Amino acid sequence: DAGVTQSPTHLIKTRGQQVTLRCSPKSGHDTVSWYQQALGQGPQFIFQYYEEEERQRGNFPDRFSGHQFPNYSSELNVNALLLGDSALYLCASSLVPGAMNTEAFFGQGTRLTVV
Amino acid sequence: SQQGEEDPQALSIQEGENATMNCSYKTSINNLQWYRQNSGRGLVHLILIRSNEREKHSGRLRVTLDTSKKSSSLLITASRAADTASYFCATDLYNQGGKLIFGQGTELSVKP
């Protein structure tokens, strides 16, 4: 049973460029959430997708956008990259968001470096 | 702002000793989840404890939850060098649809 898979593993981009990160959820999961983890910090919630719609959003600017496809996979897009966007981007998948037993499983992350 | 705060920020012990990490939070939760992270890689799910549970075990892990004090603890018994990692608690807030709020983490070092 494949877990959560993310691609690419590492990425180097230049300031001002745009980037797309991809995530395939754990088999059977229909909800995907994205998190940003700066060095030495805990992950911070970016947004959550369920039924191909953005259901919740954290405190991130509109430069961060996403999409969920009918097969539940998801993309995170970041436009006009800033140096401060350098971080580990984590994707988590789950079932039944908000239920007491809902476990969230994470992928290995994409390390984005903006130069 | 972060909902959870973890204590201590760093912990160094010898193999075979027990390690205890604490997590405090501020608002009502559905559940609290503990994760392990090795060297800035992905998060490995360790254990989930629901808001109506007080204690849960999984192998060498024991988690407690005190909703009156809004705190949780993770105990790793008989630690091994392979347990060296960062440990995070994450709260699934009540009525927040599954958004996880993470603490800053505890960096555990287990020396052989």
Side-chain angles (χ1 to χ4, degrees), chain B:
Chain B
S1 64
Q2 299 281 16
Q3 140 109 324
E5 293 185 5
E6 296 186 55
D7 170 57
Q9 289 189 341
L11 181 60
S12 182
I13 59 175
Q14 297 293 131
E15 252 188 342
E17 293 181 338
N18 295 340
T20 299
M21 289 159 263
N22 303 296
C23 170
S24 61
Y25 58 93
K26 297 174 183 173
T27 59
S28 297
I29 60 173
N30 284 326
N31 62 62
L32 187 146
Q33 303 181 47
W34 285 91
Y35 291 87
R36 185 185 74 228
Q37 185 176 43
N38 291 86
S39 301
R41 301 297 305 279
L43 298 172
V44 174
H45 190 274
L46 296 176
I47 199 164
L48 176 152
I49 186 165
R50 299 193 308 254
S51 60
N52 61 357
E53 296 177 310
R54 293 297 166 257
E55 187 170 316
K56 206 160 179 183
H57 297 256
S58 177
R60 294 183 296 113
L61 305 180
R62 173 178 170 254
V63 168
T64 61
L65 179 66
D66 186 334
T67 52
S68 66
K69 294 181 179 177
K70 291 187 171 56
S71 67
S72 175
S73 67
L74 170 68
L75 168 67
I76 304 175
T77 59
S79 63
R80 306 166 182 167
D83 294 328
T84 295
S86 294
Y87 291 81
F88 293 91
C89 70
T91 48
D92 182 345
L93 303 182
Y94 180 71
N95 267 349
Q96 291 291 309
K99 175 173 77 173
L100 292 179
I101 305 297
F102 283 83
Q104 299 274 49
T106 293
E107 194 172 327
L108 173 66
S109 174
V110 182
K111 301 187 188 313

Side-chain angles (χ1 to χ4, degrees), chain A residues 11-13 19 81 85-89 110-114:
Chain A
L11 205 50
I12 300 175
K13 288 287 190 177
V19 68
L81 285 166
D85 295 331
S86 295
L88 181 69
Y89 288 85
T110 295
R111 173 72 63 187
L112 173 65
T113 302
V114 182

